[in-house]
Amino acid sequence: MTTSEPRTADELLDAVGTAFSKLRRTSLLEVENPISAKDLSRTLVLNIVMEHTQDSGKEITVGAVAELLAVDPSVASRMVTDNIKAGYLIRAASQQDGRRTVLRLSPEGAELMARFRRHQRSAFEYITADWSEHDRLELARLMLKYVGSLAHLRNRGLAEDAKSS
């Protein structure tokens, strides 16, 4: 252990936030088929659209993107417009309410997300190349567990918000 590594449980837990901040920045590592910084930021919106429409038939709006990214609706609108201009998103009429406009991934958006997923895996494999297979898989398992807990907390919060409305 180096002198800069956390030594106590409190120091370790305090360091987690900084580590999460660094994760997104390191995803630009020069691995095979790198993602540009601009497309990396676009994947924030594309990932939300993909996650909420894929296999569920759910529809997602600019307002939902704003809520899920925890940004002002005008910021979300600019982000969505940028993705549309880049050819990654398509605006479409809602099949549930013709007055609403919903977002769908274009074929180019789906390809960017597939390339982004390959890039993420390559970066993970590159960063953990000298780790044991057990440690690599354990980190992957724990990250998925962490993200699953986030989704559970978010869904619980949404259910509580609906009750109080």
Side-chain angles (χ1 to χ4, degrees):
M1 174 163 32
T2 67
T3 57
S4 65
E5 288 183 21
R7 295 186 181 151
T8 67
D10 278 342
E11 289 174 344
L12 182 64
L13 293 172
D14 286 344
V16 168
T18 303
F20 278 128
S21 295
K22 292 177 182 178
L23 277 178
R24 186 137 178 102
R25 291 192 306 263
T26 60
S27 63
L28 288 173
L29 284 172
E30 290 298 322
V31 295
E32 194 173 323
N33 291 323
I35 303 292
S36 71
K38 184 68 173 169
D39 279 348
L40 181 66
S41 68
R42 288 173 174 149
T43 63
L44 290 170
V45 172
L46 297 176
N47 192 53
I48 286 172
V49 172
M50 189 174 80
E51 283 182 356
H52 287 82
T53 59
Q54 191 175 32
D55 301 328
S56 68
K58 292 181 184 174
E59 297 181 332
I60 190 153
T61 63
V62 174
V65 169
E67 183 180 328
L68 291 163
L69 285 177
V71 298
D72 189 75
S74 63
V75 172
S77 181
R78 285 191 298 275
M79 294 172 81
V80 165
T81 298
D82 176 61
N83 273 285
I84 291 169
K85 286 180 180 176
Y88 298 139
L89 279 180
I90 300 166
R91 289 188 199 268
S94 168
Q95 297 303 301
Q96 299 167 3
D97 179 350
R99 297 169 294 178
R100 282 189 337 160
T101 300
V102 296
L103 304 170
R104 303 214 192 299
L105 269 121
S106 69
E108 294 82 4
E111 173 50 37
L112 175 62
M113 289 308 295
R115 194 164 60 92
F116 180 59
R117 295 289 181 246
R118 290 189 301 270
H119 178 269
Q120 288 175 308
R121 181 172 176 158
S122 293
F124 182 83
E125 290 172 345
Y126 176 78
I127 293 165
T128 61
D130 61 344
W131 295 20
S132 70
E133 182 177 3
H134 173 269
D135 285 353
R136 292 170 95 182
L137 295 176
E138 186 64 6
L139 175 60
R141 186 187 68 74
L142 291 171
M143 285 177 70
L144 292 172
K145 182 177 180 179
Y146 181 86
V147 170
S149 293
L150 283 173
H152 175 73
L153 288 172
R154 176 156 178 63
N155 290 337
R156 191 172 68 196
L158 291 173
E160 289 172 4
D161 287 347
K163 285 180 190 175
S164 64
S165 295

